[in-house]
Amino acid sequence: MFRRILVANRGEIAQRIIRTCREMGIETVAVYSQADADALYLRQADETICIGAAPGSKSYLNIPAIISAAEIADVDAIHPGYGFLSENAHFAEVCNSCNIHFIGPDPKTIDAVGNKANARSMAMSADVPVVPGSDGPVEDEQTALKVAQRLGYPVIIKAASGGGGRGMRIARNDPSLVSGFHAARTEAEAAFGDSTVYVEKFVENPRHVEVQILGDRHGNLIHLGERDCTIQRRHQKLVEESPSSSITQETRVAMGAAAVRVAKAAGYHNAGTVEFLVDRKNDFYFIEVNARIQVEHSVTELVTGIDLIRQQILVASGERLPWTQEQVQFRGVAIECRINAEDPDKDFQPCPGVIEMFVPPGGPGVRVDSHGYSGYRIPPNYDSMIGKLMAHRATREQAIRTMLRALDEFVIIGPKTTIPLLRKILNHPDFRNGDHDTGFVERYFGARPPTTIARDSQ
Ligand code: MV4
């Protein structure tokens, strides 16, 4: 087993990893940027090392600085958390070649699933339904037009190296396909250094459901149920829940088995997510694999009782999964709300600054994973998420009531936050009835300045 782990991340996920390490008797080394010298996770680590200036590129994305810290601190492994270097195959490779265990899948797997056109082919060979689309990358606009003609509009152009909605364009006719094709390529080249794009039929207002998978280095691979992440705003998830209120038990079982087939085809080990779209007819389609622990992993932890960070560490060190698929049990309903420091009056712009007072909720059925505290100055350099609020109850209705109670209890004075929006979402009849789709937030709460160009008209 590992004696000492370096946490190559910040904020709530750094804290989350350190907490599990302490319970496992593993020493932790926290790294931080100059903007994070006052961060809470530094107080919970055994050792702290400053790795550079505030911009991510100078610190949490700075591979030489992180590897140097790992060498100096003499760690056995690095946990990358989410974002930053978590899906960087080169970083995983560098760790391995320095004899430091990377807590995640193999670099080859990260690469294979990181290319979404390739992941799509792997899903097809694993007999998993995918959205109808191009046969691999689309090289020029003539081919794009031919594919669109075959599929019928609307179609979506996606960056092969993309994710989180970047490098994506929706097209509803030939002219918007041509402009969208070039716009997506340019955006993909700038964002990922890879202009490769592919085309899929655009599924209108789907639900976004993902399956948690967990595999060891001995070929054992199971799923831990699904999370419904349909409540998003411009590709930022706001509310996640498990189980999904919108799928049947039959779909759940089929989707879980499909996720395991995709992961096995990719030679996947450690924790990961297989993402699907679910349409009006409840048909599901594979879209991508996320080769990391995700923000919303905690709702799966609540319904399964499994500490996912602990399992990541154990399988990375070579241990076998302690359960078969049949032994995994699911209890109740868990909902997570992301608390972001954003100003709804300024188009949800990040709202950095000092949290004058921070009083998190508690009590039965509530979990808070947050790096906030009274007097904390939120740096402007990183993600605006300051914490996750979760409710776990026997039924969905009870979980929603507990969540609303906890949102009311939460005191955050200083920055504006997503709490008022989250209350409105959880009180909305369509959400209460489970009758929502990915267009829900924009439809009801998406008032935008009239000068803004809608995404799908670009
Ligand atoms: C789609 C889709 C519809 N059809 N693919 C968004 C992020 C990335 N993970 C995949 N995403 C989507 N892929 C096909 N073929 C719808 C989404 C999507 C979405 C698209 C536009 C606006 C908001 C959205 C919210 C969730 C998912």
Side-chain angles (χ1 to χ4, degrees):
M1 243 323 275
F2 304 141
R3 182 183 54 84
R4 205 165 156 79
I5 289 176
L6 182 142
V7 182
N9 216 300
R10 62 180 300 281
E12 77 81 25
I13 191 64
Q15 200 174 11
R16 170 72 193 81
I17 297 161
I18 292 167
R19 283 175 166 155
T20 284
C21 287
R22 278 197 89 82
E23 290 183 10
M24 296 175 81
I26 298 169
E27 293 172 5
T28 52
V29 178
V31 295
Y32 66 101
S33 77
Q34 283 167 5
D36 274 336
D38 297 330
L40 199 51
Y41 70 93
L42 300 178
R43 302 179 189 230
Q44 294 154 351
D46 293 298
E47 194 177 319
T48 64
I49 301 177
C50 183
I51 49 166
S57 58
K58 297 254 160 41
S59 47
Y60 303 105
L61 290 167
N62 182 344
I63 295 177
I66 291 168
I67 296 292
S68 303
E71 296 282 7
I72 290 164
D74 191 26
V75 301
D76 309 301
I78 295 183
H79 196 306
Y82 49 68
F84 296 120
L85 296 170
S86 59
E87 293 175 277
N88 185 316
H90 170 66
F91 178 62
E93 187 82 64
V94 172
C95 289
N96 294 344
S97 63
C98 294
N99 281 320
I100 301 165
H101 290 84
F102 175 81
I103 302 177
D106 284 332
K108 280 195 177 65
T109 305
I110 298 176
D111 249 343
V113 301
N115 183 316
K116 305 196 186 305
N118 185 54
R120 204 180 123 81
S121 319
M122 292 196 316
M124 286 166 75
S125 358
D127 223 8
V128 169
V130 299
V131 190
S134 60
D135 186 12
V138 174
E139 307 285 353
D140 52 70
E141 66 178 59
Q142 284 312 318
T143 313
L145 283 163
K146 267 188 226 148
V147 173
Q149 186 155 38
R150 171 166 64 80
L151 300 173
Y153 287 106
V155 301
I156 183 166
I157 307 138
K158 293 182 173 182
S161 297
R166 278 202 299 179
M168 265 176 37
R169 287 293 184 284
I170 296 156
R172 297 183 185 280
N173 48 47
D174 285 355
S176 78
L177 177 75
V178 170
S179 62
F181 175 76
H182 295 290
R185 277 175 84 88
T186 306
E187 195 173 311
E189 179 63 43
F192 319 110
D194 172 14
S195 63
T196 311
V197 298
Y198 62 107
V199 176
E200 281 177 357
K201 176 89 183 166
F202 180 62
V203 182
E204 302 263 16
N205 294 328
R207 279 162 315 210
H208 191 144
V209 182
E210 58 188 31
V211 176
Q212 177 69 53
I213 51 159
L214 184 63
D216 64 22
R217 290 173 164 279
H218 307 277
N220 303 301
L221 204 135
I222 60 174
H223 74 81
L224 301 177
E226 81 284 0
R227 296 183 287 260
D228 193 310
C229 307
T230 297
I231 302 292
Q232 328 191 341
R233 203 187 145 274
R234 297 194 212 165
H235 307 292
Q236 290 285 102
K237 293 168 186 165
L238 285 167
V239 180
E240 301 104 341
E241 57 182 294
S242 185
S244 170
S245 64
S246 65
I247 62 170
T248 62
Q249 184 60 21
E250 190 190 346
T251 303
R252 173 170 296 119
V253 168
M255 201 184 274
V260 167
R261 288 202 302 278
V262 173
K264 282 193 169 163
Y268 205 100
H269 58 76
N270 216 280
T273 299
V274 183
E275 273 187 37
F276 297 93
L277 296 177
V278 181
D279 70 12
R280 295 268 126 209
K281 293 185 294 178
N282 267 325
D283 287 332
F284 65 87
Y285 308 94
F286 166 87
I287 48 170
E288 55 192 73
V289 176
N290 297 308
R292 60 169 190 278
I293 192 77
Q294 287 188 284
V295 173
E296 62 270 25
H297 73 276
S298 23
V299 295
T300 299
E301 296 190 314
L302 289 169
V303 295
T304 60
I306 293 171
D307 179 336
L308 275 167
I309 304 294
R310 179 185 166 89
Q311 291 311 316
Q312 283 193 289
I313 293 169
L314 291 172
V315 296
S317 79
E319 296 214 12
R320 287 173 179 276
L321 282 185
W323 318 279
T324 61
Q325 186 66 62
E326 295 68 40
Q327 287 170 332
V328 178
Q329 293 201 11
F330 301 90
R331 232 189 81 240
V333 175
I335 303 179
E336 170 177 284
C337 284
R338 296 195 190 188
I339 315 293
N340 300 343
E342 293 172 358
D343 188 347
D345 299 330
K346 290 188 183 145
D347 198 30
F348 292 92
Q349 296 252 48
C351 198
V354 176
I355 304 180
E356 260 129 54
M357 189 159 140
F358 186 86
V359 186
V366 173
R367 169 173 161 187
V368 180
D369 282 15
S370 169
H371 57 291
Y373 62 86
S374 295
Y376 174 57
R377 181 184 296 277
I378 304 164
N381 314 79
Y382 316 107
D383 194 89
S384 62
M385 193 181 78
I386 50 174
K388 308 183 300 200
L389 172 58
M390 293 155 260
H392 181 214
R393 287 304 204 192
T395 67
R396 184 169 190 265
E397 189 53 33
Q398 286 169 331
I400 292 172
R401 283 168 186 271
T402 295
M403 179 62 82
L404 283 166
R405 182 272 288 175
L407 285 166
D408 285 346
E409 247 179 65
F410 217 140
V411 179
I412 301 177
I413 297 172
K416 299 228 169 120
T417 73
T418 42
I419 290 176
L421 173 64
L422 291 163
R423 296 187 77 262
K424 285 183 218 158
I425 293 169
L426 267 73
N427 275 314
H428 196 284
D430 286 1
F431 179 78
R432 290 297 259 254
N433 296 330
D435 186 19
H436 51 285
D437 57 48
T438 48
F440 172 84
V441 181
E442 300 278 13
R443 195 150 60 238
Y444 295 114
F445 312 106
R448 285 217 233 169
T451 50
T452 310
I453 303 159
R455 198 172 275 278
D456 66 358
S457 64
Q458 285 171 15

